């Protein structure tokens, strides 16, 4: 029994030492909306790194706790693959071609916004010679 307890404690300590040392929103039971300086998780000791945050501003700043998105429900926008390029907009000469993709899931709770959904590029359609 003592051996099992020692192994459990050793795994717990080792897991914290090897895991992300910046803290955990789950362990701190914190999730704050917007920008909230009090939504701070301090490391257990000085040698375990810097504090991290569990507020949605941490996504812009880059100082989120390792489990912020999972625990606090911040989901990035999801988009489809690009569709095919359209035909050239001009029957001859310079025109444009476009392709689109669509939103599969909107960003939630401070997740990353959707990227561009429309791309355009210049295209050239050669002049067609009429047969007599």
């Amino acid at each position: 029994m003592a051996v099992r307890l020692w192994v459990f404690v050793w795994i717990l300590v080792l897991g914290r030492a090897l895991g992300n040392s910046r803290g955990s929103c789950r362990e701190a039971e914190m999730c704050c909306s917007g920008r909230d300086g009090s939504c701070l998780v301090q490391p257990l000791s000085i040698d375990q790194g810097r504090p991290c945050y569990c507020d949605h501003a941490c996504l812009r700043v880059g100082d989120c706790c390792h489990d912020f998105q999972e625990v606090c429900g911040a989901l990035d926008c999801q988009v489809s693959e690009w569709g095919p390029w359209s035909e050239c907009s001009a029957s001859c000469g310079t025109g444009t071609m476009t392709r689109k993709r669509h939103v599969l899931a909107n960003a939630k709770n401070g997740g990353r916004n959707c990227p561009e959904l429309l791309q355009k590029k210049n295209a050239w359609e050669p002049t067609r010679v009429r047969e007599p």
Side-chain angles (χ1 to χ4, degrees), residues 21-124:
S21 61
R22 296 196 65 199
S24 167
C25 297
R26 177 175 282 118
E27 289 178 17
E29 296 180 355
M30 283 191 193
C31 286
C32 306
S33 60
R35 183 175 181 156
D36 186 344
S38 68
C39 207
L40 171 74
V41 179
Q42 293 287 352
L44 296 176
S45 65
I46 294 174
D47 64 325
Q48 286 190 325
R50 300 185 340 210
C52 60
Y53 290 84
C54 296
D55 66 355
H56 286 91
C58 74
L59 292 166
R60 288 188 306 278
V61 178
D63 57 359
C64 297
C65 293
H66 70 95
D67 61 353
F68 172 75
Q69 287 193 329
E70 173 191 346
V71 173
C72 297
L75 301 173
D76 295 340
C77 174
Q78 301 292 314
V79 295
S80 67
E81 295 294 321
W82 287 107
W85 286 102
S86 69
E87 296 291 323
C88 182
S89 63
S91 59
C92 63
T94 303
T96 58
M97 296 172 71
T98 60
R99 67 178 182 171
K100 299 177 185 178
R101 59 184 171 185
H102 60 277
V103 175
L104 300 174
N106 285 309
K108 292 182 183 176
N109 300 323
R112 291 187 190 138
N113 291 330
C114 295
E116 284 293 319
L117 300 175
L118 177 69
Q119 280 187 336
K120 292 183 180 181
K121 70 177 182 178
N122 291 330
W124 184 77

